Amino acid sequence: MRALLAALCLSAIPVQAAAEELRIGVLDYAGADYALSHWAYTVQGLNAALPDHHFRLVALDMPALDAALAEGAVDFVITNPGHYAQLEYGHRISRIATTEDDAPVAGSLITTQDLDSLDDLAGKRLAVVSTEAFGGFRLIWGEMMDSNPRLPSRIELVETGFPMQRVADAVLDGQADAGAMRACMLEQLQADHPGRYDALRVFAQRDSGGSDCAVSTRIYPGWPFAKTEATPPDTAKQVALALLAMGGDTRWTVPVDYQPVHDLLRRLRIGPYARGPVSPGDVVEDYRDWLIALALALLFWAIYSVRIERRVRQRTRELDDSNHRLRLEMAERQRMEEAERQHRREIEHVARLSILGEMASSIAHELNQPLAAISGFAQGSLIRLQGGTMTAPEMQTAATRIAEQAERAATVIRRIRAFVRKREVQMQPLRPADLLRDSQALFAPAANRGGVSVTIDAPDNLPRVLADPIQMQQVLLNLVQNAIDAMQTTPPEDRRIDITLRSDTTPKPGVTLRLRDHGTGMDPAALARFAEAFHTTKPDGIGLGLALSRSIVEAHGGTMQAGPPATGSGLVVTIWLPVAGDDLERKGADHDG
């Protein structure tokens, strides 16, 4: 509104009066009275030097000065360097002189609080006369951007409006923690009103360039005296010469370089360097280095990705080849394991045949008993039938005895057939006592023939073990046969084998079978090689029976060890087998039921 009123006032001046006088538009950052009084000496000097012209000052704020230039209502302009750079771009004005020995063009940060540096402004309220003020804000803004680009976004701005004295009032009244003012403004206020503004001080100070005023920014070129595009060149030349020849409080010199001002506006992207819609070309121009770095990074990433892809493909092929070789090796290993199992079954079969061969005479004797009984009962019955002395009940009794002995012989034959036939391993939950009793039927004839008594201590309430009954019978027969062989030189009354079954929870739930004989035993050297393949203490042994027995026990998850008894002679062989799981235990119980 103020700019509009100023423009209307200036446009209302009669054309004839404008032709007789030259109007100088001056920025009134501290109020019209201050502006008119500050530049009065310059106007007086011009009027004195150029009596053909009458120069008149017109105090205007930034919008009003801009409007006056647009209307052609002023012939010359005195303003701060930042505003001049904008008007130079927008209204084609050009400087003809620059102030000399005036107040330095710089900014000052004022406060009453304990603030020392720009970084102390983070999170604070900063009073500024306007965000468009050059010395009152933009110089401070530039320093903050150079110090920490994120700092401006962390500061709350409090705009007070002109005159600039309001900034100092806002800090004193607690409306802001600090304020940004033109250099020397504070010193002027303190000189005019010492009781009011003495509490304020300048912080974040920098070199003042020899000035008596404290500053917080670098110092920029002084205020320019510029002509408008419509000002006659001869008049502008006369004015310039008059300014350079002028002395007094405000002296003028030749126009200086305002490139530092343009650099600041360019960094802040304001004034003539403010951006409208950004074109791709602008982006490329502004971020050329970053775009080149990004392109190089993408190129490196692409090369790296291609290299990684090639390595991944190579590693994948190598992995596929390794998997193929591994599958071949697994197939070969399975084939070898199957061959080993088949070979082991053959060895076990041979071992059982060997045991059976050693027991053949005993088994034949065992079979001979029921067969002799059958023959006796049959012949006696036949004689009595021929003599007519046999009654029907006696005939029934004889037939029953014959059937019992025939069943006894058949049972022995079935057990022998089951023992010697080739078969796959059949694991099942077994009662250890039942396993021992079934084995006893096979090793009893050999023990009887060798004059060896076998005592068995096998409780029926032991937990079940998961085992193949035929393989475990083979182990027991082998151990019993070895015990019988070891007691050939033992006095007949001492030939005894003690077999016990006990529950054993070390190292985990299981059942322990201990077989103790009273034979010659083993010395420490023989014990160290107990159950070693092809090692035997028998003159005619081949050393496979105990080795095969231990491998069978270990295949059942158990252990087999040997050692001397606590007292007396002989050998104690201990077999430990783990108990079956709960599910298998229940299945075994259901099967028994």
Side-chain angles (χ1 to χ4, degrees):
M1 180 60 72
R2 186 178 181 183
L4 178 59
L5 292 175
L8 292 175
C9 292
L10 291 172
S11 61
I13 298 174
V15 176
Q16 184 176 1
E20 294 178 351
E21 68 176 7
L22 296 174
R23 288 155 294 181
I24 305 173
V26 58
L27 181 63
D28 62 341
Y29 66 91
D33 294 340
Y34 175 80
L36 295 177
S37 62
H38 185 75
W39 302 107
Y41 185 84
T42 298
V43 174
Q44 294 171 4
L46 290 175
N47 285 328
L50 302 173
D52 296 336
H53 302 282
H54 176 69
F55 292 90
R56 184 165 68 90
L57 282 174
V58 180
L60 301 170
D61 61 7
M62 288 183 181
L65 191 54
D66 187 79
L69 285 170
E71 294 291 334
V74 293
D75 302 289
F76 295 96
V77 173
I78 300 175
T79 186
N80 67 49
H83 191 211
Y84 164 72
Q86 291 183 248
L87 298 180
E88 183 182 38
Y89 175 78
H91 298 284
R92 304 292 184 183
I93 68 173
S94 57
R95 60 190 180 278
I96 59 176
T98 299
T99 56
E100 186 179 32
D101 295 336
D102 197 12
V105 178
S108 300
L109 285 168
I110 62 172
T111 186
T112 60
Q113 300 182 11
D114 186 19
L115 302 178
D116 294 325
S117 65
L118 290 173
D119 291 334
D120 293 339
L121 289 172
K124 305 294 185 181
R125 296 168 298 169
L126 179 64
V128 298
V129 64
S130 169
T131 55
E132 297 181 355
F134 187 67
F137 175 66
R138 289 177 174 175
L139 295 184
I140 299 296
W141 182 12
E143 296 296 334
M144 289 191 291
M145 290 294 291
D146 292 342
S147 174
N148 181 2
R150 298 177 58 187
L151 182 58
S153 63
R154 301 170 63 186
I155 298 175
E156 179 185 355
L157 295 180
V158 179
E159 290 194 58
T160 63
F162 288 99
M164 196 170 288
Q165 181 178 345
R166 295 180 180 176
V167 172
D169 294 334
V171 177
L172 290 174
D173 296 341
Q175 300 175 12
D177 302 297
M181 300 181 68
R182 184 180 183 276
C184 296
M185 190 67 192
L186 178 61
E187 287 80 358
Q188 179 183 339
L189 292 175
Q190 290 175 339
D192 296 341
H193 309 281
R196 170 64 175 169
Y197 299 104
D198 283 349
L200 294 170
R201 65 176 180 85
V202 177
F203 69 98
Q205 293 189 27
R206 302 185 58 154
D207 182 10
S208 63
S211 171
D212 295 333
C213 302
V215 300
S216 302
T217 70
R218 67 199 73 181
I219 298 175
Y220 288 82
W223 284 39
F225 193 110
K227 73 176 188 66
T228 67
E229 191 175 14
T231 304
D234 292 341
T235 303
K237 181 178 179 181
Q238 294 175 5
V239 171
L241 292 175
L243 291 173
L244 294 177
M246 195 176 297
D249 295 337
T250 304
R251 293 190 299 177
W252 297 89
T253 185
V254 295
V256 299
D257 183 14
Y258 281 78
Q259 188 59 39
V261 178
H262 287 275
D263 292 341
L264 173 64
L265 300 183
R266 185 181 293 107
R267 291 201 307 275
L268 300 180
R269 296 185 177 180
I270 57 177
Y273 304 100
R275 286 291 179 83
V278 180
S279 65
D282 295 335
V283 175
V284 173
E285 182 66 22
D286 292 345
Y287 301 100
R288 181 190 304 273
D289 295 341
W290 287 101
L291 292 175
I292 292 175
L294 178 61
L296 292 176
L298 291 175
L299 179 61
F300 174 77
W301 177 79
I303 295 175
Y304 179 76
S305 299
V306 170
R307 183 180 178 185
I308 291 297
E309 182 67 20
R310 291 183 59 186
R311 294 187 64 179
V312 168
R313 291 181 179 177
Q314 181 181 358
R315 293 292 178 84
T316 302
R317 288 195 297 271
E318 293 175 356
L319 184 60
D320 291 340
D321 294 341
S322 298
N323 290 335
H324 180 67
R325 290 193 297 270
L326 183 59
R327 286 194 291 270
L328 293 178
E329 291 177 359
M330 291 177 63
E332 178 65 17
R333 178 173 296 180
Q334 291 175 353
R335 188 191 65 77
M336 293 178 64
E337 289 177 352
E338 179 60 29
E340 182 181 356
R341 284 194 294 271
Q342 180 64 26
H343 180 65
R344 179 174 175 175
R345 287 195 292 269
E346 295 290 343
I347 292 177
E348 291 175 356
H349 184 231
V350 171
R352 287 196 292 273
L353 292 178
S354 175
I355 295 173
L356 185 62
E358 295 177 359
M359 296 182 174
S361 58
S362 300
I363 294 173
H365 175 74
E366 188 70 12
L367 286 175
N368 191 43
Q369 290 183 351
L371 292 177
I374 292 171
S375 177
F377 281 119
Q379 291 179 4
S381 298
L382 181 60
I383 293 172
R384 293 191 64 178
L385 285 173
Q386 291 174 348
T389 61
M390 192 170 192
T391 63
E394 291 174 343
M395 184 64 184
Q396 184 177 359
T397 300
T400 301
R401 295 291 184 271
I402 291 172
E404 289 175 353
Q405 294 302 320
E407 179 60 26
R408 177 184 175 188
T411 299
V412 173
I413 292 173
R414 282 198 301 270
R415 288 175 176 170
I416 293 173
R417 290 184 60 189
F419 182 72
V420 300
R421 71 185 178 188
K422 291 183 180 179
R423 54 190 288 279
E424 296 292 336
V425 177
Q426 298 176 358
M427 304 292 285
Q428 56 185 287
L430 300 174
R431 291 182 183 276
D434 294 343
L435 176 65
L436 192 56
R437 280 192 287 269
D438 292 341
S439 302
Q440 185 181 12
L442 294 174
F443 63 66
N448 294 334
R449 185 175 178 82
V452 176
S453 62
V454 179
T455 59
I456 296 177
D457 182 5
D460 290 331
N461 58 351
L462 296 177
R464 299 173 190 272
V465 295
L466 185 64
D468 181 277
I470 299 303
Q471 287 191 336
M472 293 310 300
Q473 286 178 9
Q474 178 179 342
V475 172
L476 288 172
L477 291 180
N478 184 266
L479 294 179
V480 170
Q481 185 60 50
N482 288 340
I484 294 173
D485 294 341
M487 291 187 291
Q488 289 181 356
T489 59
T490 302
E493 63 274 15
D494 295 332
R495 295 178 182 176
R496 188 175 75 253
I497 297 175
D498 301 320
I499 302 176
T500 59
L501 283 174
R502 291 291 184 271
S503 177
D504 189 350
T505 59
T506 303
K508 59 182 182 180
V511 174
T512 296
L513 181 147
R514 287 188 176 84
L515 187 148
R516 187 257 170 96
D517 63 50
H518 296 266
T520 56
M522 289 184 174
D523 57 24
L527 282 175
R529 304 185 64 180
F530 175 76
E532 183 179 310
F534 304 109
H535 173 74
T536 179
T537 57
K538 297 180 181 180
D540 53 349
I542 59 176
L544 288 178
L546 287 176
L548 191 59
S549 297
R550 186 173 65 176
S551 66
I552 291 174
V553 172
E554 292 176 351
H556 284 68
T559 59
M560 187 176 79
Q561 298 174 338
T567 59
S569 61
L571 185 70
V572 177
V573 179
T574 304
I575 295 175
W576 179 87
L577 292 174
V579 300
D582 294 339
D583 294 340
L584 296 174
E585 178 75 16
R586 285 193 294 272
K587 290 181 180 179
D590 295 341
H591 178 74
D592 293 345

